[in-house]
Amino acid sequence: MDSWNSIYEEVAYGVLGWISFLSWSLCFYPQVLLNYRRKSVVGFNFDFPALNLTKHTSYLVYNAAMYFNPEIHRQYHQKYGLNQMIPVGLNDVFFSIHALSLTIFTMYQIFIYERGTQKVSKTCIAITAIIWTSALVCIIIAWPKHSWLWLISVFNTFQVIITTIKYIPQAVTNFNRKSTVGWSIGFVFFDLFGGLFSFGQMCAQSIDQGSVVNFYGNLGKLLLSLEVMLFDLLFIVQHYVLYPEESDKGNMVVPSEEAEPFIDSGMQRNKGSASKDDNTGTGTDDLMIVAGAGTPDLKSGSVLAMEIDEGQRTI
C-alpha cells in the first residue's frame, strides 16, 4: 500500500513536483516586483488577486487535509483502493501556503500604490460570496456524517472553478486596453512551467502505478494544470503578438500635458512669433528646437534663440 514500483518514477515524481512548486512559487514575484518598480497597479486587474485569495485558501484546505489527515487517507483508500497512493505531495502543501501568503501581499500593494479608478468588480464580489456561502453549507452537511473526503473534494472543486474564472478579467482588461502594461509576462512564464511540470508529475505517478486513478482521484490538480497552461498561452499571444512590447513602451510614455516643458515660456513666445525663411523654409522655431535639443543647458539654448531672432529683425 502506498508504495512505488520503480525508484526512477519515484525520483521523477519528486523532482517534477518540486520544480512545479518552484515555478508556481516564483511566478508571484515578477508581478510583485513590477508593482514595486512602477509604484502603481494600474493595468493589473484587481479581480485576479481577489479571486486568487479564495482559490488558494480552498486549495490549502484540500492539500493540507489530504496530506496530513489519517481519516481522509482511510476514506480515500476505501473509495479508490488500498493500493492507490495519496495524490498530494508535500510540495503541494508548501505551494499552497506560499501562494496564499504572496496573494495577501499583492493585495496589500493594491492598497498602498497608485491604482487609478480601478476596483474589484461586483461580479467578483458576488462569486466570492457564493463560493464561501456554499462552503459553509457543505461543512454543515458533512459534519454529522464525517464525510471529510467529500468535503475537501468540494474545496478542491471550488479552486478549479475559480482557476477557470480568475484569468478571464485580466485577459479582458488586456483586450480593452490593447496593452499588457501592468501585467507581468514573467508571471505568465513561471505559471506556465508550473502547470507543465505539475502535469508531468501526475504522469510519473500514473506510469509507476499502471493506473489513471490518480488523475480522476485528484481531478482538481489535473484541471488546474490544464487550465493554467491554456490561459498562459493566451497571455503570451496577447503580449508578443496582439499587443507587442513596442506598444507597451508607447503606453508608458508620460502624457505631454503632465510632462515638464522642455522649452521655457520665453522661448514659447518667440516660437509663436517666428516666421519661415522664404529661401530655406526654416523658421526661428525650428532653430530654437535644434538649439535647445543640442544644448544640455536650457538657458544657453534660449540665449542663442534670442540672438538669432534679433539678427532676423535686423535683416
Side-chain angles (χ1 to χ4, degrees):
M1 183 176 69
D2 290 18
S3 61
W4 288 90
N5 297 316
S6 168
I7 186 63
Y8 299 108
E9 271 85 22
E10 183 179 7
V11 171
Y13 177 87
V15 170
L16 291 171
W18 284 106
I19 292 177
S20 173
F21 161 76
L22 184 62
S23 297
W24 266 337
S25 297
L26 289 176
C27 79
F28 291 91
Y29 290 96
Q31 186 66 55
V32 169
L33 293 175
L34 180 63
N35 296 342
Y36 173 76
R37 287 197 302 267
R38 298 173 72 227
K39 298 296 187 291
S40 170
V41 289
V42 174
F44 178 48
N45 192 288
F46 297 169
D47 287 3
F48 181 79
L51 291 171
N52 241 359
L53 184 65
T54 298
K55 184 259 186 193
H56 287 302
T57 301
S58 301
Y59 200 36
L60 177 59
V61 170
Y62 171 79
N63 283 332
M66 178 65 84
Y67 186 80
F68 290 110
N69 193 293
E71 175 60 21
I72 292 177
H73 292 177
R74 187 191 65 78
Q75 293 181 15
Y76 182 87
H77 289 136
Q78 184 179 20
K79 181 175 182 179
Y80 295 108
L82 295 177
N83 62 331
Q84 296 300 322
M85 298 180 66
I86 298 300
V88 170
L90 186 61
N91 62 281
D92 296 314
V93 179
F94 277 115
F95 164 74
S96 295
I97 295 172
H98 181 268
L100 182 60
S101 301
L102 266 292
T103 299
I104 293 172
F105 183 78
T106 303
M107 296 190 71
Y108 168 72
Q109 287 185 313
I110 291 175
F111 286 102
I112 64 174
Y113 291 147
E114 170 61 34
R115 58 183 179 272
T117 58
Q118 296 178 189
K119 57 184 180 180
V120 177
S121 70
K122 294 180 179 179
T123 302
C124 175
I125 295 173
I127 292 172
T128 302
I130 291 172
I131 289 292
W132 285 112
T133 301
S134 301
L136 179 60
V137 171
C138 290
I139 291 173
I140 295 173
I141 294 173
W143 195 280
K145 299 179 180 179
H146 301 283
S147 303
W148 307 128
L149 179 62
W150 172 79
L151 180 61
I152 66 168
S153 298
V154 169
F155 276 93
N156 199 20
T157 301
F158 288 157
Q159 70 91 11
V160 172
I161 293 172
I162 296 176
T163 300
T164 306
I165 298 171
K166 71 173 187 176
Y167 292 103
I168 296 175
Q170 185 65 55
V172 172
T173 295
N174 295 343
F175 172 77
N176 290 335
R177 298 172 68 238
K178 299 298 184 289
S179 170
T180 57
V181 172
W183 175 242
S184 174
I185 192 64
F187 166 88
V188 173
F189 278 111
F190 279 121
D191 197 38
L192 176 63
F193 292 145
L196 183 62
F197 285 113
S198 178
F199 181 77
Q201 183 190 35
M202 299 188 75
C203 289
Q205 182 178 348
S206 180
I207 292 172
D208 180 83
Q209 299 294 300
S211 169
V212 294
V213 170
N214 68 297
F215 282 108
Y216 59 81
N218 192 355
L219 191 60
K221 186 175 181 178
L222 172 63
L223 294 178
L224 172 64
S225 301
L226 297 178
E227 290 168 352
V228 160
M229 290 188 285
L230 177 63
F231 276 103
D232 286 334
L233 290 175
L234 171 62
F235 288 128
I236 289 173
V237 171
Q238 284 187 321
H239 185 79
Y240 290 107
V241 180
L242 300 179
Y243 323 120
E245 187 176 354
E246 289 75 16
S247 300
D248 287 356
K249 290 179 179 177
N251 286 329
M252 288 186 285
V253 174
V254 180
S256 57
E257 63 271 16
E258 297 177 5
E260 183 177 349
F262 182 76
I263 303 175
D264 61 29
S265 57
M267 293 180 67
Q268 292 286 7
R269 284 194 295 271
N270 289 333
K271 181 179 177 181
S273 60
S275 59
K276 295 284 183 181
D277 184 87
D278 294 334
N279 297 324
T280 64
T282 303
T284 308
D285 51 344
D286 300 315
L287 294 173
M288 283 190 294
I289 294 174
V290 172
T295 309
D297 185 0
L298 288 179
K299 181 177 180 181
S300 61
S302 300
V303 171
L304 178 59
M306 292 173 66
E307 289 176 355
I308 294 171
D309 189 47
E310 184 65 29
Q312 286 189 348
R313 285 202 296 272
T314 303
I315 295 172

